[in-house]
Amino acid sequence: MLEEHDSMLIELSNCVSRLTTLQEQMEKTVLTMNERISSIEQKPSQILTIIITAIITAGITTLFSLIMR
């Protein structure tokens, strides 16, 4: 009977260890997902900045070409 309890305690301890490992993996996964989400949220503003810069550059180029005529 005592041996059964010991083996059950060992099994329970192994389960707790596995659960702890799973929890750590889940925390890492959540952190990675949060980083990816924040980088995705930043991309539209970067794209908008690139478009505005391209428009300004095209405008300046057109202005210079009209002045040089």
Side-chain angles (χ1 to χ4, degrees), residues 13-42:
S13 174
N14 289 338
C15 285
V16 168
S17 176
R18 280 188 232 125
L19 281 172
T20 304
T21 304
L22 280 173
Q23 180 186 8
E24 290 170 356
Q25 289 175 345
M26 286 178 66
E27 287 172 356
K28 288 178 186 176
T29 303
V30 167
L31 285 175
T32 304
M33 288 175 62
N34 285 339
E35 289 173 5
R36 289 182 182 169
I37 287 171
S38 68
S39 73
I40 288 171
E41 288 173 347
Q42 290 174 359

Side-chain angles (χ1 to χ4, degrees), residues 45-69:
S45 65
Q46 291 173 348
I47 292 170
L48 187 61
T49 304
I50 291 169
I51 291 172
I52 290 171
T53 305
I55 291 171
I56 291 172
T57 304
I60 291 171
T61 305
T62 306
L63 186 65
F64 275 120
S65 67
L66 289 174
I67 291 172
M68 298 304 265
R69 285 187 183 182

